[in-house]
Amino acid sequence: MNKAQQTRKYILETAFSLVYENGFQSTSIDKIIAETNVTKGAFYYHFKNKEEMGMAIINEILTVSINENLVKPLANHGQKAEVIYQTIKNFMLSISDRQLRLGCPTNNMIQEMAPLNTTFARALLSIIENWKQKLSEAIIEGQKDGSISPNQDAVVLAAFIISSYEGARTLGKLYKSFEYYNFYLKQLKALLEK
Amino acid sequence: MNKAQQTRKYILETAFSLVYENGFQSTSIDKIIAETNVTKGAFYYHFKNKEEMGMAIINEILTVSINENLVKPLANHGQKAEVIYQTIKNFMLSISDRQLRLGCPTNNMIQEMAPLNTTFARALLSIIENWKQKLSEAIIEGQKDGSISPNQDAVVLAAFIISSYEGARTLGKLYKSFEYYNFYLKQLKALLEK
DNA sequence: TATAAAAAATACTAAATGGTATTTTATTAT
DNA sequence: ATAATAAAATACCATTTAGTATTTTTTATA
């Protein structure tokens, strides 16, 4: 990674952190350059405009995070009900106090930007869509290996697991308490055992 | 209601609508006065500052909406499992296309403002706390009348119902589809039948 | 109808906004 | 070393921001 790539990465990660704290619209370029001590010229050298920077956050940070943490581990071997449960549990247990306070960054971006920017919305949707797809497939495997009840529609269940995950992170954020993560995990387990 | 009260109400409702569309931080006073055709003097006559206006939205609009739609109907007579289910179902069926697209306004405010403003956070938390409390009580009644399994902790179940409700509204918003509301209602029914 | 008070209108500020144009400094290939 | 190019710095722009100060209009009351 050369100097320019490093600078770009540094700007992007700082920008992500500010967006995570304050929202996309409320994170000004001026705040980003103040925080990075990079100049505005440098910023605009690496990003065409604020929107492209937002897209880079979605494509290079949010997408990667969901995939690495919540999608890839679904491929692990074992009873699929257990694999699914452990995937989500492991990730939720790794969440820091800051991440608790600020919630799921993908969820935040959806909440704020999906109704305002169709480009953002499409990219965010495909993150969730991919997760839902992979989770559905894992559920179907679980139904085959007998660890998940065949009565449930895999897609419906996958969508519910995802939506209630996002909901749990919202309540955790509001109450600043990991308690709601545990409530969620408890219900998730029940959901997968049926 | 006298003239001044009407003006205040008109400003507040317009402001709420703009905040619902664009978020709190991105809704400027200038946008509000442009939309209302009320002058800045009039705005600042009725609201001390932007934050107080935000608090008025929370206390006079969000709180009322949740209470009227999702809390009060819990007092209806009948098998409590059914009353709870019908309360949420009725409300979700009444959600318009615009409300689908923009999601739950209380959820939006939590997502955006809870980490940034403790006054907002407290007021928003008490909305959810009250809902959770009343829902817990209804669940306990349901456990007494035999319509809800006594194995579940009422508070845990209430928290999960609320968090997954918010999650469902998030997915509905992202996909612009009522489908995810139905998925949620289906799971809710199962949850209450156990 | 005159007066006081409430409500609203107008004009303004200082700071911040996203973005651009221009200049300067580093880096690389010849 | 020099020329070409990449990267970053600087200065600036038009517009928008939340909020204030002042003036005008409307309303209620004596």
Side-chain angles (χ1 to χ4, degrees):
Chain A
M1 197 158 57
N2 63 29
K3 184 83 188 303
Q5 286 174 312
Q6 277 180 336
T7 303
R8 183 185 182 280
K9 194 186 172 198
Y10 171 60
I11 294 172
L12 193 63
E13 281 171 357
T14 306
F16 165 69
S17 177
L18 290 171
V19 168
Y20 191 22
E21 290 271 353
N22 305 299
F24 179 78
Q25 295 172 100
S26 293
T27 301
S28 65
I29 312 290
D30 282 1
K31 278 184 202 158
I32 295 167
I33 65 172
E35 186 76 17
T36 51
N37 286 316
V38 149
T39 60
K40 200 169 272 195
F43 177 91
Y44 278 99
Y45 177 79
H46 289 288
F47 303 98
K48 198 181 127 208
N49 52 32
K50 196 186 177 189
E51 185 178 9
E52 273 213 353
M53 184 212 70
M55 286 301 294
I57 288 175
I58 295 173
N59 291 323
E60 297 169 42
I61 297 179
L62 302 181
T63 303
V64 171
S65 167
I66 298 270
N67 283 348
E68 293 297 319
N69 295 304
L70 292 163
V71 177
K72 278 193 184 170
L74 292 174
N76 289 347
H77 295 303
Q79 295 270 81
K80 274 297 159 183
E82 189 63 16
V83 171
I84 293 169
Y85 177 71
Q86 285 298 332
T87 295
I88 295 176
K89 183 179 177 186
N90 283 344
F91 181 57
M92 289 190 107
L93 288 180
S94 80
I95 286 171
S96 67
D97 283 357
R98 178 171 187 262
Q99 291 168 323
L100 172 74
R101 176 171 59 85
L102 299 175
C104 170
T106 302
N107 193 22
N108 295 356
M109 194 67 114
I110 290 170
Q111 290 290 349
E112 181 184 3
M113 298 306 293
L116 297 178
N117 184 309
T118 52
T119 310
F120 282 23
R122 253 195 303 273
L124 291 163
L125 191 136
S126 81
I127 296 176
I128 301 295
E129 187 60 27
N130 178 60
W131 183 12
K132 196 179 78 183
Q133 177 63 32
K134 299 286 159 51
L135 185 53
S136 287
E137 287 165 14
I139 289 169
I140 289 167
E141 281 187 64
Q143 289 171 330
K144 279 178 189 154
D145 74 23
S147 62
I148 298 174
S149 155
N151 296 335
Q152 303 210 63
D153 182 298
V155 176
V156 174
L157 185 55
F160 184 68
I161 288 172
I162 291 170
S163 70
S164 51
Y165 166 81
E166 298 298 356
R169 292 214 54 182
T170 301
L171 274 214
K173 174 178 184 169
L174 179 62
Y175 282 88
K176 288 189 219 163
S177 163
F178 289 102
E179 198 182 7
Y180 297 89
Y181 290 8
N182 292 325
F183 290 179
Y184 169 70
L185 289 170
K186 207 166 163 181
Q187 296 290 344
L188 175 63
K189 192 164 197 129
L191 225 50
L192 288 167
E193 273 175 354
K194 269 199 295 206
Chain B
M1 199 159 57
N2 64 30
K3 184 85 187 303
Q5 287 174 314
Q6 277 181 337
T7 303
R8 192 191 117 96
K9 194 185 173 200
Y10 171 59
I11 294 171
L12 194 63
E13 282 171 357
T14 307
F16 165 68
S17 177
L18 290 170
V19 169
Y20 191 22
E21 290 273 351
N22 304 300
F24 179 78
Q25 296 172 100
S26 293
T27 300
S28 65
I29 313 288
D30 282 1
K31 276 185 204 155
I32 294 166
I33 68 174
E35 186 76 18
T36 51
N37 285 315
V38 149
T39 60
K40 200 168 272 198
F43 177 91
Y44 278 98
Y45 177 79
H46 289 289
F47 302 99
K48 196 181 129 209
N49 52 33
K50 196 188 179 191
E51 185 178 10
E52 272 214 355
M53 184 212 71
M55 285 302 294
I57 288 175
I58 295 173
N59 290 323
E60 297 169 42
I61 296 179
L62 302 181
T63 302
V64 172
S65 167
I66 298 269
N67 283 347
E68 292 297 319
N69 294 305
L70 291 164
V71 177
K72 279 194 184 170
L74 292 175
N76 289 347
H77 295 305
Q79 295 270 80
K80 275 295 158 182
E82 188 63 16
V83 170
I84 293 169
Y85 178 72
Q86 283 299 331
T87 294
I88 295 175
K89 183 179 177 187
N90 282 343
F91 180 58
M92 289 189 106
L93 288 180
S94 80
I95 286 170
S96 67
D97 283 357
R98 177 170 187 262
Q99 291 168 324
L100 172 74
R101 176 171 59 85
L102 299 176
C104 170
T106 302
N107 194 21
N108 294 357
M109 193 67 112
I110 291 170
Q111 290 290 349
E112 180 184 5
M113 299 306 294
L116 298 178
N117 184 310
T118 52
T119 310
F120 282 23
R122 254 194 301 274
L124 291 162
L125 190 136
S126 81
I127 295 176
I128 301 296
E129 188 59 27
N130 178 61
W131 183 13
K132 197 179 75 181
Q133 177 62 32
K134 300 287 160 50
L135 186 53
S136 287
E137 288 166 13
I139 289 168
I140 290 168
E141 281 188 62
Q143 290 171 327
K144 281 181 188 154
D145 75 22
S147 62
I148 299 174
S149 156
N151 297 335
Q152 304 211 61
D153 182 299
V155 175
V156 174
L157 185 55
F160 183 67
I161 287 171
I162 290 170
S163 69
S164 52
Y165 166 81
E166 298 299 355
R169 293 215 53 184
T170 302
L171 274 214
K173 174 178 184 169
L174 179 62
Y175 281 88
K176 289 189 217 163
S177 162
F178 289 103
E179 198 182 8
Y180 296 88
Y181 290 6
N182 293 324
F183 290 178
Y184 169 71
L185 289 170
K186 208 167 164 181
Q187 296 290 347
L188 175 63
K189 194 166 195 125
L191 226 48
L192 289 166
E193 272 175 355
K194 268 201 295 207

